[in-house]
């Protein structure tokens, strides 16, 4: 059921990952094209985070090959995992340090992203005084400010309230460049129902890879993944 690919940005070939002798991912392969929007669905403990960490280089595979052309931006489940500075400006400046940019260009890009993410009213506050949703917005801005080729989102909405989730989803829709590939890992289908492609993972294996129409025709795959069939899928059956 895997869609045809061309102009691949990311390729995983027969990836296996172990921890303490326990297999987390088994013989996992995946190709992602430039500009593709991919929803990675799976229950907690299914291997989603391990897969994203392997793609980003935070975790080394036991076997297999990871090929990536371009730069990665990452938004973690807990925004504090990616925020290092005490102010918004410091956190936005950090990802730009590895780029060969003039100081004036860095300043202008930070100003642009503060405005684009509607952070002007809180730019002077200590990062620790911001709400979880505000910190996650800063984390997203920091992930995108270097204009990455691939954006990895590891359940970015799970620790924020409903209003902030809606803000984050709207921001993602409006701000992510069309040429940026996105992998959005979540256990909530409602967060990614408008995505182009869906991959379901269960017990470290890929159980499904296809588009929305194909997924709606295969509701039993959620049972195989030990997940509840989403309401949006159930009513379409």
């Amino acid at each position: 059921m895997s869609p045809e690919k061309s102009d691949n940005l990311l390729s995983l070939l027969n990836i296996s990952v172990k921890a303490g002798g326990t297999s987390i991912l088994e013989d996992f392969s995946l190709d992602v094209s430039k500009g593709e929007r991919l929803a990675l669905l799976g229950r907690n403990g299914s291997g989603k985070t391990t897969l994203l960490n392997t793609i980003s280089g935070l975790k080394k595979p036991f076997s297999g090959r990871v090929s990536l052309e371009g730069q990665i931006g990452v938004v973690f489940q807990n925004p504090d995992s990616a925020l290092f500075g005490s102010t918004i400006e410091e956190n936005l400046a950090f990802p730009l340090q590895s780029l060969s940019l003039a100081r004036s260009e860095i300043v202008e890009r930070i100003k642009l992203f503060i405005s684009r993410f509607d952070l002007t009213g809180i730019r002077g506050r200590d990062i620790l005084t911001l709400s979880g949703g505000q910190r996650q917005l800063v984390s997203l801005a920091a992930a995108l400010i270097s204009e990455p080729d691939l954006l990895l989102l590891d359940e970015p909405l799970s620790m924020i309230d409903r209003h902030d989730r809606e803000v984050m989803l709207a921001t993602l829709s409006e701000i992510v460049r069309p040429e940026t590939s996105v992998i959005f890992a979540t256990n909530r289908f409602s967060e990614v129902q408008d995505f182009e492609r869906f991959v379901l993972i269960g017990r470290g294996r890929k159980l499904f890879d296809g588009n929305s129409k194909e997924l709606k025709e295969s509701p039993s795959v959620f049972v195989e993944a030990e997940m509840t069939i989403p309401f949006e899928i159930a009513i379409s059956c």
Side-chain angles (χ1 to χ4, degrees), residues 13-17 23 25-29 63 204-206:
L13 180 62
N14 301 329
I15 294 297
S16 294
V17 179
S23 179
L25 292 176
E26 295 183 17
D27 199 28
F28 198 103
S29 295
S63 61
R205 298 182 296 110
K206 184 166 65 174

Side-chain angles (χ1 to χ4, degrees), residues 28 38-42 48 51-52 183-187 199-201:
F28 198 103
L38 186 153
L40 180 64
L41 292 165
K48 300 190 303 297
L51 180 60
L52 295 190
I183 301 180
F184 191 131
T186 180
N187 56 19
V199 170
L200 263 69
I201 183 173

Side-chain angles (χ1 to χ4, degrees), residues 54-67:
T54 302
I55 293 171
S56 66
L58 293 176
K59 199 162 191 67
K60 186 177 180 180
F62 175 77
S63 61
R65 188 182 75 225
V66 179
S67 300

Side-chain angles (χ1 to χ4, degrees), residues 89-105:
E89 284 93 341
E90 288 176 358
N91 281 285
L92 296 185
F94 183 77
L96 300 176
Q97 292 178 2
S98 61
L99 304 180
S100 300
L101 300 176
R103 174 63 182 172
S104 59
E105 186 174 351

